[in-house]
Amino acid sequence: DQQVKQNSPSLSVQEGRISILNCDYTNSMFDYFLWYKKYPAEGPTFLISISSIKDKNEDGRFTVFLNKSAKHLSLHIVPSQPGDSAVYFCAAIQGGGADGLTFGKGTHLIIQP
Amino acid sequence: DAGVIQSPRHEVTEMGQEVTLRCKPISGHNSLFWYRQTMMRGLELLIYFNNNVPIDDSGMPEDRFSAKMPNASFSTLKIQPSEPRDSAVYFCASSSQGHGNSPLHFGNGTRLTVT
C-alpha cells in the first residue's frame, strides 16, 4: 500500500517551459513534505520542502504547492533547464520526529532542448 | 564536508554468499537510515538509528538482513545468505535531529547484484 504516489513515471518538457511534477498521498498524518532530485549513479539530494501549515514554498526556480484537502502536492520548475533532467522523488513524514521518510517511486523529468 | 560515504560502490556476488555494505555518516549527524531502491518498489526504508540505537527495523525484509551501528561514525548492513531478489541499490543517509526540518543527506549508494 503506497502512501506516497507519483503516478507519472516520466515527463518530457521543453527547455524554458514550466515543469510540473505531481504527488499524491493517503496518510493524513503526514505533516512535512520534501522533494528530492536524483542523478544517475548518485544518491538523492534535497531540493525543497513544505510544512503542512503552508500551502506554498518558493526557492528560486522551484516552487512547491500543497493542497491538504486533496492530499496533493506539486513541484513547479520554471524555467526548466537541461540540468533539471533527473528523477524527482516526493517524500513525506509525520510527527516531525526521527522517523524515516516515505518516498514515492519517482518521476523521471527529461528537459528537451 | 565529505558527505555520507558508502562502500563498496558496486558488489557482485553469488547467491548464498554473505554481503556487507558499509556507511560512514556525516560527522555530527545523530540519525542514520538505510534505504533500498528497486524498480518495482522505489525507495524503501529498511531501518534507522538514532544515536546509534536501532529505532525501527520494520522495513527489514527478512531475518537474512541485519544492521549494526557500533559507533556514531560507522554502520553496516549485512545480508546472509544473499538471494537474487536482493539485487538493488542500497542507500545510506544521515541527518541531525531526525527529519523534521533537517533533510536527509544520502550517500551515492551501493549497487548490489546477486547472481
Side-chain angles (χ1 to χ4, degrees):
Chain A
D1 178 30
Q2 276 230 301
Q3 296 187 64
V4 177
K5 299 178 183 179
Q6 293 177 257
N7 293 320
S8 298
S10 66
L11 175 67
S12 184
V13 175
Q14 201 165 13
E15 181 179 357
R17 298 289 184 101
I18 183 171
S19 295
I20 300 175
L21 296 99
N22 294 304
C23 177
D24 297 293
Y25 61 96
T26 58
N27 187 346
S28 58
M29 299 299 292
F30 286 143
D31 57 8
Y32 198 72
F33 304 89
L34 306 89
W35 284 93
Y36 279 77
K37 177 179 179 180
K38 183 184 181 302
Y39 292 119
E42 295 183 9
T45 56
F46 170 71
L47 188 58
I48 192 169
S49 63
I50 188 167
S51 166
S52 60
I53 62 175
K54 295 185 176 182
D55 55 18
K56 177 183 175 181
N57 188 26
E58 190 173 351
D59 183 2
R61 296 185 299 113
F62 303 92
T63 303
V64 56
F65 295 92
L66 175 63
N67 182 335
K68 284 185 64 179
S69 61
K71 294 191 178 66
H72 176 83
L73 64 156
S74 61
L75 174 67
H76 292 211
I77 306 173
V78 55
S80 301
Q81 299 175 354
D84 296 330
S85 294
V87 177
Y88 289 79
F89 291 97
C90 172
I93 190 172
Q94 68 182 68
D99 297 334
L101 287 171
T102 301
F103 282 88
K105 289 189 177 181
T107 296
H108 185 192
L109 176 64
I110 302 163
I111 305 300
Q112 295 182 334
Chain B
D1 183 358
V4 175
I5 300 173
Q6 291 185 247
S7 64
R9 287 299 310 272
H10 302 275
E11 177 77 42
V12 180
T13 190
E14 291 183 348
M15 181 175 64
Q17 297 298 307
E18 175 182 304
V19 175
T20 299
L21 312 181
R22 297 173 175 79
C23 176
K24 177 178 169 56
I26 292 173
S27 178
H29 282 186
N30 61 345
S31 295
L32 183 140
F33 306 80
W34 282 100
Y35 281 85
R36 177 173 69 175
Q37 183 186 17
T38 60
M39 290 293 292
M40 289 297 293
R41 301 175 71 87
L43 273 165
E44 301 174 277
L45 176 65
L46 300 177
I47 185 172
Y48 71 92
F49 297 82
N50 274 354
N51 297 315
N52 311 339
V53 176
I55 302 301
D56 183 357
D57 65 354
S58 59
M60 297 284 260
E62 299 173 33
D63 291 343
R64 297 184 296 105
F65 286 69
S66 63
K68 294 182 180 180
M69 192 165 186
N71 58 63
S73 60
F74 184 66
S75 176
T76 58
L77 177 67
K78 183 181 292 186
I79 308 172
Q80 180 184 25
S82 57
E83 296 183 3
R85 59 191 167 126
D86 302 331
S87 298
V89 181
Y90 291 80
F91 288 102
C92 175
S94 69
S95 72
S96 56
Q97 302 173 9
H99 284 113
N101 294 325
S102 177
L104 295 185
H105 296 259
F106 282 82
N108 284 332
T110 294
R111 180 174 293 276
L112 173 65
T113 303
V114 183
T115 61

